[in-house]
Amino acid sequence: SQTIHQWPATLVQPVGSPLSLECTVEGTSNPNLYWYRQAAGRGLQLLFYSVGIGQISSEVPQNLSASRPQDRQFILSSKKLLLSDSGFYLCAWTGGTHAGELFFGEGSRLTVL
Amino acid sequence: GQQVMQIPQYQHVQEGEDFTTYCNSSTTLSNIQWYKQRPGGHPVFLIQLVKSGEVKKQKRLTFQFGEAKKNSSLHITATQTTDVGTYFCAGPFSNTGKLIFGQGTTLQVKP
């Protein structure tokens, strides 16, 4: 069966520090991968998606970047965090088309101080 | 741009009361999905509706997809404390197919 792992689960970072969140999917090949952000008490905002290795699409201009170095690995990064980057970051995958069911990781809660 | 709107944003009910959340899209959708996020957790897929006017039931939950495929609703009969959480609708948009989520409706149930 397919599983998705996301880490770290929680982190507190100072403004201006770098960020790296990792996500890996097991049990499937060539998944579509997504990074969403959820601000406190808010909905899910799509940040990046990837349909294959090295293929990244950005949905909104921001302080973050994403990379997909391997088929089942998706990384969210920042060189210098801003206060507004605080939130709950969720990695997700779907097989086949974008329109299929999304499977979410457990999420990474980031607090920037 | 294309949007998915959900109302209400919050709903507090007494255990045993019914609950409904409504979802409206700015464009026609090929399908609509519903997710539930428990407090502190991640969204979990509940159901997908594809056909115009489709109605699906999962125990006390009833999901409807509008005739024009631009709106949807989730109705919970006789809420229980286990229903607490945020319910999201999401739809793929024709130009990209990516899922766009509504803002969610957070349900609180008083025992």
Side-chain angles (χ1 to χ4, degrees):
Chain A
S1 64
Q2 301 90 354
T3 57
I4 178 168
H5 302 283
Q6 193 180 332
W7 70 94
T10 307
L11 64 166
V12 180
Q13 296 285 104
V15 170
S17 64
L19 171 74
S20 180
L21 301 179
E22 293 196 33
C23 172
T24 59
V25 180
E26 296 176 0
T28 186
S29 59
N30 197 31
N32 291 333
L33 296 171
Y34 305 82
W35 279 110
Y36 283 86
R37 177 170 59 199
Q38 185 175 33
R42 303 293 296 278
L44 297 164
Q45 180 187 32
L46 179 61
L47 301 176
F48 300 96
Y49 73 94
S50 172
V51 298
I53 296 174
Q55 300 179 61
I56 308 294
S57 295
S58 174
E59 288 299 296
V60 293
Q62 59 202 312
N63 184 41
L64 302 169
S65 62
S67 62
R68 186 169 177 175
Q70 299 180 40
D71 180 45
R72 290 171 289 175
Q73 184 183 25
F74 206 22
I75 298 172
L76 183 69
S77 305
S78 174
K79 293 182 178 178
K80 289 185 178 182
L81 284 169
L82 305 172
L83 287 173
S84 57
D85 291 325
S86 294
F88 191 43
Y89 289 83
L90 289 153
C91 181
W93 74 274
T94 187
T97 68
H98 284 298
E101 170 188 349
L102 275 179
F103 299 90
F104 285 89
E106 299 289 333
S108 298
R109 195 166 302 278
L110 170 66
T111 302
V112 182
L113 301 175
Chain B
Q2 293 164 321
Q3 293 185 353
V4 177
M5 305 297 291
Q6 254 184 281
I7 57 169
Q9 187 174 0
Y10 299 99
Q11 185 81 58
H12 295 251
V13 300
Q14 198 71 38
E15 189 172 22
E17 292 181 340
D18 292 355
F19 159 77
T20 304
T21 173
Y22 300 91
C23 180
N24 289 285
S25 168
S26 58
T27 61
T28 301
L29 300 170
S30 60
N31 71 75
I32 195 153
Q33 300 177 24
W34 285 90
Y35 292 77
K36 176 182 179 181
Q37 183 178 25
R38 295 183 185 276
H42 60 279
V44 174
F45 175 82
L46 293 176
I47 207 162
Q48 181 180 74
L49 304 171
V50 179
K51 299 177 184 176
S52 169
E54 189 171 13
V55 178
K56 286 188 176 180
K57 292 191 176 184
Q58 290 180 350
K59 297 183 181 179
R60 294 178 293 104
L61 278 60
T62 301
F63 303 84
Q64 292 187 320
F65 200 12
E67 294 291 339
K69 301 183 76 172
K70 293 180 70 175
N71 58 75
S72 181
S73 65
L74 158 59
H75 179 81
I76 302 178
T77 304
T79 54
Q80 300 175 359
T81 55
T82 53
D83 296 324
V84 164
T86 301
Y87 293 85
F88 292 98
C89 63
F93 283 90
S94 56
N95 60 335
T96 63
K98 299 185 302 296
L99 271 183
I100 304 298
F101 283 77
Q103 306 96 310
T105 296
T106 298
L107 172 64
Q108 298 277 10
V109 179
K110 301 175 210 174

